[in-house]
Amino acid sequence: MAASLGAIDLRECVKKGVVGALGVIPGTIAAHPFDVIKIRMQTSTDSLRGAVVRIGAERGAVGFYGGLGSAIQQKMITCGPMFLVSEICTQGMQVTGMERGQACFVGSAISGYVTGFAAALSEYRKVLQSQRVPNPRGGTNWSYTDILRGSRGLGGMYGIARRLNGAGVRNGIFDSTFFGMQHVYQQKGLSPTESYGLAAATAVLMGYSLDMAVKQQMVVPPQKSPKSILSLIQDLYKGPSLVSSFVRAHRGINPKIVEFTINYSAIGFSSVYIVYMINYAFSRLE
């Protein structure tokens, strides 16, 4: 049933935002090694085994948690607003007459672009640090000041804009698929843990080659201009055969599916308890 303007439930929107911001923390900690492995595979020619061996040889077990602080920061910046703004936009689409299922796909595409664009700088910093990209001032630690300093000039700012836009488009596709399919799976009777995890895996499959292109932009230091998203995707699908092109364009997808399934299943699982605590807090205030 379509919602009316006065029926937009801001309390429900806030609940979704808190679920996203808090639920993502344990999932990110548990799944971060898979993220590091995935990025290494996306930005190099390493196989899954080669990426694991190389990361371990460079820094030992600590290497699998490189950039964890930035990852938690990025996920909280992304997931809190992602869930909040998605619910607002979804209810907004219902105001136009859309049913809930359709509204989840359309509203989340809009909100995904906005939140992905906003969090892209934090993601860029995480990728630079986790992949140990050399900083011109020495070492492999990057601050936001280093990134902005390296992006001086029209060319540098254009390169940053390309990265931000690419992240926005990717997140729009991911969020539309995730929230839309989570609604579908929930309607089929799956639990929050199952519906969140399965929807995340579905979204990864839908937009993986685009994510590879975004990561390849972000592994380029800010003083250098990256290729466009379209050019990078075309490069991914160049090969002697359709099968070999598809395999190359989806290199690293296994650890990413594991990472996102763990992460979003944790959000789904914790959502039950977070919503209970929020409802209890609201009841005490009334």
Side-chain angles (χ1 to χ4, degrees):
M1 181 181 294
S4 65
L5 183 60
I8 291 181
D9 189 346
L10 294 180
R11 180 176 291 189
E12 184 63 25
C13 295
V14 171
K15 286 181 187 177
K16 290 290 181 70
V18 175
V19 165
L22 298 184
V24 77
I25 297 173
T28 300
I29 294 171
H32 189 68
F34 297 100
D35 186 35
V36 174
I37 294 167
K38 172 208 67 182
I39 295 173
R40 177 60 62 92
M41 292 178 70
Q42 288 180 324
T43 57
S44 71
T45 58
D46 288 347
S47 64
L48 175 59
R49 183 176 182 276
V52 172
V53 170
R54 228 173 118 190
I55 294 168
E58 288 175 359
R59 297 190 66 197
V62 176
F64 293 97
Y65 279 91
L68 176 60
S70 295
I72 292 175
Q73 182 184 57
Q74 179 226 334
K75 290 292 175 64
M76 289 185 73
I77 290 172
T78 302
C79 285
M82 167 186 169
F83 278 65
L84 170 66
V85 181
S86 171
E87 184 61 25
I88 293 172
C89 290
T90 295
Q91 292 189 32
M93 290 298 103
Q94 288 181 273
V95 168
T96 70
M98 285 187 183
E99 295 299 323
R100 176 72 185 185
Q102 294 176 314
C104 284
F105 283 102
V106 177
S108 298
I110 297 170
S111 65
Y113 180 86
V114 172
T115 56
F117 188 97
L121 202 60
S122 178
E123 180 184 6
Y124 185 30
R125 178 171 176 253
K126 179 199 76 172
V127 171
L128 291 172
Q129 293 193 152
S130 68
Q131 299 310 297
R132 300 181 61 76
V133 176
N135 189 321
R137 66 178 175 79
T140 56
N141 187 44
W142 288 84
S143 66
Y144 294 114
T145 302
D146 293 329
I147 293 172
L148 295 175
R149 186 182 294 122
S151 306
R152 286 176 179 170
L154 186 60
M157 294 306 296
Y158 181 68
I160 288 293
R162 269 187 167 177
R163 296 176 178 95
L164 300 184
N165 181 64
V169 172
R170 177 206 57 197
N171 279 36
I173 293 172
F174 179 90
D175 288 12
S176 177
T177 306
F178 171 72
F179 286 106
M181 293 309 299
Q182 194 274 329
H183 176 78
V184 170
Y185 295 141
Q186 189 175 41
Q187 292 297 105
K188 291 183 178 295
L190 273 66
S191 69
T193 303
E194 294 167 335
S195 63
Y196 275 62
L198 187 56
T202 305
V204 168
L205 288 169
M206 287 294 294
Y208 189 74
S209 57
L210 177 57
D211 183 52
M212 277 196 73
V214 171
K215 288 299 191 298
Q216 289 182 4
Q217 283 188 328
M218 290 189 172
V219 81
V220 177
Q223 61 269 23
K224 296 181 180 179
S225 181
K227 290 185 176 181
S228 69
I229 287 290
L230 182 59
S231 176
L232 288 167
I233 291 177
Q234 288 174 337
D235 289 345
L236 287 172
Y237 282 95
K238 285 179 182 176
S241 69
L242 181 62
V243 173
S244 64
S245 297
F246 183 85
V247 170
R248 181 170 62 178
H250 291 79
R251 186 174 61 248
I253 193 170
N254 291 338
K256 176 154 188 177
I257 288 177
V258 173
E259 174 206 350
F260 272 61
T261 301
I262 290 173
N263 211 327
Y264 283 86
S265 292
I267 294 175
F269 177 80
S270 62
S271 68
V272 177
Y273 302 97
I274 294 172
V275 169
Y276 174 81
M277 289 187 290
I278 293 173
N279 287 337
Y280 176 77
F282 278 137
S283 70
R284 298 289 292 179
L285 292 173
E286 290 174 347

